[in-house]
């Protein structure tokens, strides 16, 4: 299975999909923010409006 990396939308820390599944209430393990995670780094989110934003349904696939 290909590993997908997600980026904290607050501190831009990389988190693997496996790590995301174990997060406490979806909080970033680095900065503790629950700002959310995206498959695109924070700095690129303006350029990639169609970036996948993680939600609960992603864990069910
Ligand atoms: Zn963070």
């Amino acid at each position: 299975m290909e590993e997908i990396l997600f980026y904290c939308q607050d501190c831009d820390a990389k988190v693997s999909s496996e790590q995301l599944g174990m997060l406490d209430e979806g909080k970033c393990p680095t900065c503790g923010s629950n700002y959310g995670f995206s498959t695109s780094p924070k700095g690129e989110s303006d350029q990639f409006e169609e970036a996948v934003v993680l939600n609960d349904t992603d864990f069910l696939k």
Side-chain angles (χ1 to χ4, degrees), residues 7-20:
Y7 299 84
C8 173
Q9 296 301 286
D10 193 1
C11 74
D12 228 16
K14 289 180 201 160
V15 181
S16 71
S17 53
E18 183 180 350
Q19 285 177 299
L20 268 183

Side-chain angles (χ1 to χ4, degrees), residues 40 44-53:
S40 293
E44 296 182 11
S45 57
D46 290 341
Q47 300 167 31
F48 294 95
E49 295 182 6
E50 295 182 17
V52 176
V53 176

Side-chain angles (χ1 to χ4, degrees), residues 1-9 11-24 26-30 36-40 54-55 58-59:
M1 180 175 164
E2 185 178 348
E3 182 169 60
I4 301 172
L5 285 176
F6 294 90
Y7 299 84
C8 173
Q9 296 301 286
C11 74
D12 228 16
K14 289 180 201 160
V15 181
S16 71
S17 53
E18 183 180 350
Q19 285 177 299
L20 268 183
M22 298 185 294
L23 291 182
D24 177 24
K27 290 177 184 170
C28 173
T30 300
F37 297 88
S38 169
T39 51
S40 293
L54 191 73
N55 59 50
D58 288 323
F59 290 115

